[in-house]
Amino acid sequence: MTPTTPLKNLLIGGKILRGAHTGKPTSESDPLYPVVGIRALAEDGTVDHDNVEHLAVRNETDIERSRIQAGDVLLSMRGQFRAALADEKCEGHILSQNLVILRFREEADAALMVEYFNSQQGRDALAALSRGTALPLLSIMALETLEVPALGGADREDLAACLAAYREYEALAHEEAELTAQIRDALVAEYLGVRQ
């Protein structure tokens, strides 16, 4: 059985950082910031930069607290729980109010934590802590107490290597599926297509 620990024990300063309250600008003079919201959290655990919006921040004091750093784990706190690992392109972006920043200590592997949160087991654990049925909602206090896997050195490295191999295989399988679809389309066009 994998040992566990409360999530806050793996975070720098034991703190979960809230996103900023953002929205459309109220005047033309309002500065706009690149904001990562729920739509920008891709299914594969990355940030989809095409869905990063430029919005105003309602409270200027929220800006520094909600600035994203590369390596941060971004976690949605309502609806369908999803996590993503912030890359260098996210550096300095602002996180929206429905998400939190989990800034893991060095001995915890942020990429593996994203894998855990996006797994069925991780989503079930988050759902068990949430309130509401129509739109599940997590509180920061509940999230701090979430028991998460605490893998040691060798186990952590082995899992990271296995997941890297899986991702490589997944990418190759995706390319193969696209090629197969192109072959099918070419055959249909050649033999069933209407010539003009």
Side-chain angles (χ1 to χ4, degrees):
M1 188 84 163
T2 303
T4 63
T5 188
L7 176 62
K8 68 179 179 180
N9 291 351
L10 298 177
L11 301 175
I12 294 173
K15 290 186 179 177
I16 295 172
L17 305 172
R18 257 186 213 284
H21 185 66
T22 59
K24 302 279 185 213
T26 54
S27 73
E28 288 185 19
S29 63
D30 285 350
L32 298 180
Y33 299 89
V35 175
V36 176
I38 290 175
R39 289 186 325 177
L41 302 187
E43 285 289 331
D44 66 355
T46 62
V47 174
D48 178 1
H49 293 282
D50 291 337
N51 281 314
V52 171
E53 299 180 88
H54 285 78
L55 300 170
V57 176
R58 298 286 182 237
N59 186 346
E60 294 292 317
T61 59
D62 291 346
I63 293 173
E64 286 313 309
R65 183 199 68 231
S66 59
R67 275 199 196 276
I68 300 169
Q69 297 177 11
D72 285 348
V73 172
L74 314 177
L75 179 68
S76 59
M77 297 291 283
R78 60 190 305 176
Q80 181 185 5
F81 302 118
R82 188 179 301 162
L85 185 64
D87 58 17
E88 278 89 25
K89 284 177 75 175
C90 292
E91 191 84 36
H93 287 13
I94 304 296
L95 192 72
S96 81
Q97 66 267 22
N98 295 325
L99 290 90
V100 292
I101 295 172
L102 305 176
R103 200 162 281 154
F104 285 93
R105 295 192 330 234
E106 204 170 299
E107 63 270 18
D109 188 319
L112 290 182
M113 293 310 301
V114 168
E115 294 287 351
Y116 173 70
F117 288 128
N118 286 335
S119 72
Q120 190 60 54
Q121 185 179 9
R123 286 183 176 163
D124 289 347
L126 292 169
L129 291 175
S130 68
R131 294 171 297 166
T133 51
L135 185 66
L137 178 67
L138 274 171
S139 72
I140 286 184
M141 195 181 308
L143 188 56
E144 288 175 337
T145 65
L146 176 68
E147 289 287 323
V148 295
L151 290 176
D155 288 338
R156 187 173 63 228
E157 289 171 18
D158 290 347
L159 178 57
C162 288
L163 286 171
Y166 165 77
R167 290 283 182 218
E168 188 176 326
Y169 172 78
E170 186 180 45
L172 288 171
H174 182 71
E175 285 177 26
E176 188 175 288
E178 285 181 351
L179 183 58
T180 303
Q182 289 173 2
I183 292 169
R184 182 200 63 227
D185 291 346
L187 287 170
V188 168
E190 177 65 25
Y191 292 100
L192 299 176
V194 178
R195 290 189 171 86
Q196 296 184 348

